[in-house]
């Protein structure tokens, strides 16, 4: 199966890049209205619509939400493409009809439309919705909880983006996708729901190995009941966190979008059936854990306070005239020089001035970099 050409055939080209405000869902909503799969689920703190797609006629019910963090749109793009695959009958009819007969999906492409508009992680009130599962103070979480109660899902998909700092193993390899079966308590007990989530993850990872070998990580499973995934898993509904990450030369995350689509394709490919519990747990644990060991750019061997350090820099984005504009930020100073860069520059013991400062630049947006001694400006 050539997934790439399948994806190209169904891809919604009206949603591209990182910035994905709610008004760009127009094409998806028009399609859903035409097919009578559209549902208006509620509104955000600032009164923006929270849209839903209800598709399929199967017994097994799947609730999926994306862009709970407004600036994390890769999984939104991926699941929109998956909805488009399910909304046509010219391609892969057997697969599509099989999935629609087995599953009913309620998909919320953008749970946080205010954050999507502002290009922020948080919602309009500055709240991280993924820490509001217990107190449920925000309208967006109230909408999600209402759907959770009414729809009674058998499976939940919590869809996010992770930063490019996440790597797999000890090599310069990004975790292009990461998965997590969230914990249900601080002891990280493997409840029946969690075991089922692990099983599905293992099957997805196995299927993805052909096209994404060695670029899949396992996300940290520390328990936090205020996180929505942990909350749902604890309530007994198998829940999977999917994190879309970096792929080399793909700042717009269009290539990663394709892998999200492929992961979803595999997830619903087979009838979900239980496997041997021991096998599931060991296979799940065998997925390498994510490390935060990578940076977009690393300055190596910079002299700082008379020792040699590495300086890690990360690309970040702001929205200017409705488009994302990239800039660089200092992420950290690493005295042990263990971080690795997708791009690296060796300064061979030179001292640097960043924004005219010798020190005190962590977290800052970079304006200028110069060699302290020669005053030579460094272009990056
Ligand atoms: Zn997130």
């Amino acid at each position: 199966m050539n997934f790439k050409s399948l994806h190209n055939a169904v891809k919604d080209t009206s949603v591209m890049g990182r910035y994905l405000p709610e008004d760009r869902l127009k094409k998806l909503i028009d399609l859903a209205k035409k097919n009578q799969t559209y549902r208006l689920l509620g509104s955000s703190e600032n009164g923006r619509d929270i849209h839903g797609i209800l598709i399929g006629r199967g017994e097994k019910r799947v609730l999926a939400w994306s862009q709970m963090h407004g600036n994390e749109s890769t999984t939104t793009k991926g699941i929109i493409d998956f909805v488009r695959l399910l909304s046509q009958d010219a391609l892969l009819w057997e697969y599509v009809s099989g999935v629609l007969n087995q599953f009913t999906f309620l998909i919320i492409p953008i749970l946080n439309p205010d954050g999507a508009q502002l290009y922020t992680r948080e919602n309009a009130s500055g709240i991280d919705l993924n820490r509001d599962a217990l107190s449920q103070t925000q309208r967006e979480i109230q909408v999600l909880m209402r759907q959770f109660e009414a729809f009674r899902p058998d499976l939940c998909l919590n869809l996010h983006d992770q930063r490019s700092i996440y790597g797999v193993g000890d090599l310069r390899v990004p975790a292009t996708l990461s998965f997590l079966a969230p914990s249900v308590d601080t002891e990280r007990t493997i409840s029946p729901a969690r075991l089922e989530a692990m099983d599905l993850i293992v099957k997805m990872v196995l299927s993805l190995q052909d096209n994404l070998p060695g670029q899949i990580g396992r996300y940290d499973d520390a328990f936090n009941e205020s996180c929505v995934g942990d909350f749902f898993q604890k309530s007994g509904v198998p829940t999977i966190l999917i994190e879309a990450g970096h792929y080399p030369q793909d700042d717009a995350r269009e290539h990663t979008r394709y892998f999200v689509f492929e992961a979803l394709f595999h997830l619903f490919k087979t009838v979900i059936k239980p496997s041997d519990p021991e096998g599931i747990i060991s296979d799940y644990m065998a997925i390498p854990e994510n490390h935060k060991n990578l940076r977009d750019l690393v300055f190596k061997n910079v002299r700082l306070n008379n020792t040699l350090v590495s300086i890690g820099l990360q690309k970040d984005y702001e929205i200017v005239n409705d488009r994302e504009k990239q800039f660089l930020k200092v992420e950290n100073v690493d005295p042990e020089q263990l971080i690795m860069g997708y791009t690296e520059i060796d300064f061979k013991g030179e001292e640097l001035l960043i924004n005219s400062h010798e020190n005190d630049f962590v977290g800052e947006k970079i304006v200028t970099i110069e060699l302290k001694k020669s005053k030579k400006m460094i272009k990056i």
Side-chain angles (χ1 to χ4, degrees):
M1 151 91 55
N2 187 337
F3 287 109
K4 197 81 200 171
S5 56
L6 174 68
H7 182 239
N8 279 332
V10 297
K11 183 158 119 178
D12 182 348
T13 51
S14 72
V15 288
M16 302 286 279
R18 286 177 175 254
Y19 184 49
L20 208 176
E22 172 260 330
D23 59 9
R24 293 196 192 166
L25 297 183
K26 191 180 177 306
K27 200 168 162 187
L28 174 77
I29 293 168
D30 288 348
L31 174 72
K33 282 185 174 162
K34 192 179 106 217
N35 293 344
Q36 297 180 330
T37 57
Y38 177 77
R39 299 289 182 280
L40 178 62
L41 303 179
S43 59
S44 67
E45 289 286 325
N46 274 358
R48 283 199 172 81
D49 289 345
I50 298 177
H51 307 287
I53 312 283
L54 184 69
I55 188 167
R57 48 192 166 267
E59 224 173 85
K60 195 131 185 130
R61 303 167 81 78
V62 181
L63 174 63
W65 61 95
S66 183
Q67 243 169 308
M68 146 182 274
H69 292 143
N71 57 359
E72 298 178 359
S73 61
T74 309
T75 47
T76 309
K77 294 184 288 182
I79 205 161
I80 288 173
D81 300 339
F82 188 67
V83 168
R84 287 169 57 85
L85 173 69
L86 298 183
S87 304
Q88 56 79 50
D89 54 14
L91 295 164
L92 284 190
W93 180 83
E94 212 172 319
Y95 172 86
V96 171
S97 60
V99 169
L100 293 175
N101 285 332
Q102 283 172 53
F103 299 95
T104 301
F105 298 90
L106 177 58
I107 293 166
I108 308 174
I110 301 182
L111 182 62
N112 176 7
D114 298 338
Q117 184 72 34
L118 298 164
Y119 197 70
T120 56
R121 175 183 175 88
E122 296 80 12
N123 73 348
S125 332
I127 301 289
D128 183 339
L129 297 177
N130 206 21
R131 300 293 179 273
D132 195 36
L134 267 184
S135 30
Q136 300 176 21
T137 61
Q138 300 301 297
R139 291 181 72 168
E140 296 85 358
I141 284 295
Q142 291 158 8
V143 168
L144 180 64
M145 292 298 169
R146 215 162 48 229
Q147 295 306 321
F148 180 77
E149 297 296 331
F151 184 65
R152 289 175 287 107
D154 302 294
L155 175 66
C156 288
L157 301 180
N158 187 8
L159 304 171
H160 290 258
D161 266 76
Q162 66 185 2
R163 298 200 297 154
S164 57
I165 60 174
Y166 288 97
V168 184
D170 302 322
L171 301 169
R172 196 174 277 98
V173 174
T176 300
L177 290 178
S178 290
F179 297 99
L180 172 69
S183 291
V184 297
D185 53 31
T186 47
E187 290 75 41
R188 306 174 196 214
T189 303
I190 296 167
S191 65
R194 190 166 184 227
L195 186 68
E196 191 174 328
M198 285 179 171
D199 186 25
L200 298 174
I201 290 172
V202 166
K203 287 172 180 160
M204 248 189 301
V205 171
L206 194 68
S207 300
L208 284 163
Q209 285 302 337
D210 288 347
N211 290 332
L212 194 61
Q215 278 174 245
I216 300 172
R218 178 166 49 87
Y219 211 81
D220 172 46
D221 65 351
F223 177 66
N224 183 347
E225 203 173 3
S226 298
C227 295
V228 174
D230 306 41
F231 185 87
F232 286 162
Q233 189 96 285
K234 193 185 171 186
S235 74
V237 179
T239 301
I240 296 173
L241 172 80
I242 302 181
E243 294 270 357
H246 182 65
Y247 190 89
Q249 319 291 321
D250 181 33
D251 289 340
R253 298 224 162 154
E254 288 299 319
H255 208 57
T256 304
R257 162 197 195 153
Y258 153 70
F259 287 114
V260 172
F261 171 81
E262 199 192 320
L264 294 169
F265 183 94
H266 292 309
L267 178 58
F268 300 106
K269 182 172 55 180
T270 49
V271 184
I272 294 172
K273 54 175 186 283
S275 316
D276 158 48
E278 281 310 308
I280 297 168
I281 297 166
S282 58
D283 288 351
Y284 179 78
M285 292 304 174
I287 302 168
E289 207 174 2
N290 277 348
H291 300 300
K292 297 178 185 174
N293 57 342
L294 295 174
R295 301 293 179 269
D296 291 326
L297 175 61
V298 170
F299 294 165
K300 298 197 83 76
N301 297 316
V302 176
R303 189 171 299 281
L304 183 78
N305 304 329
N306 257 328
T307 53
L308 293 182
V309 301
S310 287
I311 299 176
L313 299 98
Q314 281 298 108
K315 293 172 184 171
D316 206 340
Y317 300 84
E318 57 196 352
I319 304 305
V320 179
N321 298 328
D322 232 26
R323 295 185 67 115
E324 63 249 39
K325 187 169 170 248
Q326 197 178 77
F327 62 91
L328 275 171
K329 252 172 122 169
V330 180
E331 175 77 11
N332 68 320
V333 172
D334 177 14
E336 295 171 69
Q337 304 219 63
L338 294 174
I339 51 170
M340 291 182 284
Y342 298 109
T343 307
E344 296 186 343
I345 302 173
D346 188 345
F347 279 93
K348 300 186 172 120
E350 290 265 12
E351 289 175 291
L352 291 184
L353 296 176
I354 297 180
N355 300 345
S356 310
H357 293 293
E358 259 176 69
N359 232 314
D360 218 25
F361 38 62
V362 173
E364 294 293 305
K365 177 177 173 178
I366 293 185
V367 184
T368 58
I369 301 170
E370 57 188 305
L371 299 179
K372 190 182 165 194
K373 221 185 221 162
S374 63
K375 301 276 180 248
K376 184 177 168 243
M377 301 298 281
I378 305 294
K379 280 220 180 308
I380 43 168

